[in-house]
Amino acid sequence: MRAVEYQGAGGPEVIRIVQRPRPEPGPGEVLIKVAAAGLNRADVQQRRGVYPPPPGASDIPGLEVSGTVAEIGPNVSGLEVGASVCALLAGGGYAEYVVVPVGQVLPVRAGVELVDAAALPEVTCTVWSNLFMNVRVTAGDWVLIHGGAGGIGTMATQLVAAFGAHPVVTAGSAEKLEYCRGFGAVAGIDYRRDDFVERMREISGGHGADVILDVVGAEYLDRNIRSLAFGGRLVVIGLQRGSKAELDLGLLMSRRASVLGTTLRARPAEEKAQVVAQVAEHVWPLIEAGVVRTAVEARYPLEEVAEAHRHFDSGRHTGKILLTM
């Protein structure tokens, strides 16, 4: 089968399409014939040599796919060969076939194209696990979402709004902020021009953010804490601008606030299965009803995977970029 390798660490020039043996499903696994794979920041960080796959995971990049079930391993029930599915992976998605634990597989429902379904597993599982399982966003909360125009940001905005909370986003241009409003953002902050601490206070009537979803990391730590309401929760899921910063514990304590850092990729299969099950229960009905939708900007054939990475690296994209097989 065709698959993608990174031959060294660096820019898109290290990407190669190679031939690999087709994997075989073991107990509790299914083999998926891939229709499309989502391009995520983790794939880019792996390419740059700063985010290696977790132990036991494939070195092939790709954390989410859509496709059809090609083969079922022992001790698998509830799926049939030929079923349209999408799946959350620890790696291996940039290939024509991938093996996945059955607990990480989701059905593709009516109203979602098979290719576009590849844009759903990573963002829905990341957002649901962090905002709703970990810090329990509830109706009426003010939620500040950094990187609002990206795949995570657009999904977070939609889900926060769907459950009655108030999503406020940051983005780097007026055009991106307008794009975010199309997904339900009640307000937007241009981080290149405005102080998001001050603007968050203004937007919320002096209350501040009950929850912040942060993909930036160290550079935003102090300002994030200053943006929180009393009892606020900061969730850090990305380190785009550094991993080390000084934390004013007095400020944190005075806010009675908490900071949580998480990753999804390296979690055990059992934990991922729990997240996927909750997504199926709580998020999939919203997608079927049209309340939540995919945000796909571009689709590249596998042969143009390097160009897809250049598009991502430019920072100009909104929503998701997909690779099609």
Side-chain angles (χ1 to χ4, degrees):
M1 69 174 185
R2 293 179 304 159
V4 169
E5 284 183 352
Y6 297 150
Q7 297 185 353
E13 71 278 356
V14 305
I15 299 172
R16 298 288 185 275
I17 298 176
V18 298
Q19 288 293 322
R20 289 280 191 97
R22 194 180 89 165
E24 299 294 331
E29 296 179 334
V30 298
L31 178 70
I32 296 175
K33 186 181 191 315
V34 177
L39 197 169
N40 290 283
R41 187 165 297 278
D43 305 328
V44 172
Q45 296 296 80
Q46 181 178 332
R47 189 200 74 211
R48 292 171 176 164
V50 297
Y51 191 31
S58 172
D59 66 311
I60 297 170
L63 303 185
E64 59 186 343
V65 297
S66 62
T68 55
V69 176
E71 189 177 339
I72 295 173
N75 306 322
V76 171
S77 60
L79 279 177
E80 296 181 355
V81 171
S84 296
V85 296
C86 57
L88 180 71
L89 316 173
Y94 288 20
E96 292 181 301
Y97 291 88
V98 66
V99 163
V100 191
V102 67
Q104 294 168 215
V105 178
L106 288 154
V108 175
R109 299 302 194 191
V112 180
E113 294 184 11
L114 182 61
V115 165
D116 287 356
L120 290 171
E122 178 72 14
V123 294
T124 55
C125 290
T126 297
V127 171
W128 186 262
S129 64
N130 282 290
L131 291 186
F132 296 91
M133 295 175 71
N134 289 337
V135 299
R136 301 186 182 278
V137 167
T138 57
D141 279 349
W142 287 94
V143 182
L144 177 60
I145 301 162
H146 291 303
I152 295 291
T154 52
M155 182 55 64
T157 299
Q158 292 181 88
L159 288 179
V160 165
F163 284 89
H166 310 299
V168 178
V169 301
T170 64
S173 69
E175 293 76 16
K176 285 189 174 183
L177 290 175
E178 186 61 31
Y179 174 79
C180 295
R181 290 186 182 94
F183 289 93
V186 298
I189 303 168
D190 185 338
Y191 68 81
R192 298 183 191 276
R193 301 178 56 184
D194 298 322
D195 177 357
F196 70 76
V197 180
E198 180 180 327
R199 288 288 293 125
M200 187 66 224
R201 293 281 170 192
E202 292 174 356
I203 292 164
S204 63
H207 179 78
D210 296 291
V211 172
I212 299 176
L213 185 65
D214 180 49
V215 297
V216 176
E219 185 176 307
Y220 276 13
L221 179 61
D222 182 71
R223 282 180 285 167
N224 278 333
I225 300 299
R226 295 179 186 281
S227 300
L228 287 173
F230 290 103
R233 293 90 76 197
L234 166 62
V235 188
V236 181
I237 63 169
L239 302 172
Q240 294 179 25
R241 298 187 187 174
S243 61
K244 296 181 180 181
E246 186 173 282
L247 174 61
D248 184 338
L249 291 174
L251 179 62
L252 186 74
M253 294 166 68
S254 71
R255 290 277 196 275
R256 301 194 300 276
S258 59
V259 179
L260 174 69
T262 74
T263 62
L264 181 61
R265 184 181 190 182
R267 293 191 194 186
E270 295 79 8
E271 289 187 21
K272 289 182 181 178
Q274 292 172 6
V275 174
V276 168
Q278 287 218 15
V279 166
E281 179 181 355
H282 299 287
V283 180
W284 246 229
L286 297 175
I287 293 172
E288 292 183 60
V291 175
V292 171
R293 68 185 194 273
T294 58
V296 178
E297 180 185 90
R299 303 165 186 84
Y300 288 86
L302 186 65
E303 292 78 12
E304 297 179 16
V305 57
E307 188 57 35
H309 273 242
R310 290 187 185 95
H311 186 170
F312 190 98
D313 287 353
S314 73
R316 296 192 300 270
H317 70 285
T318 54
K320 296 284 290 191
I321 297 171
L322 303 181
L323 298 174
T324 61
M325 302 299 155

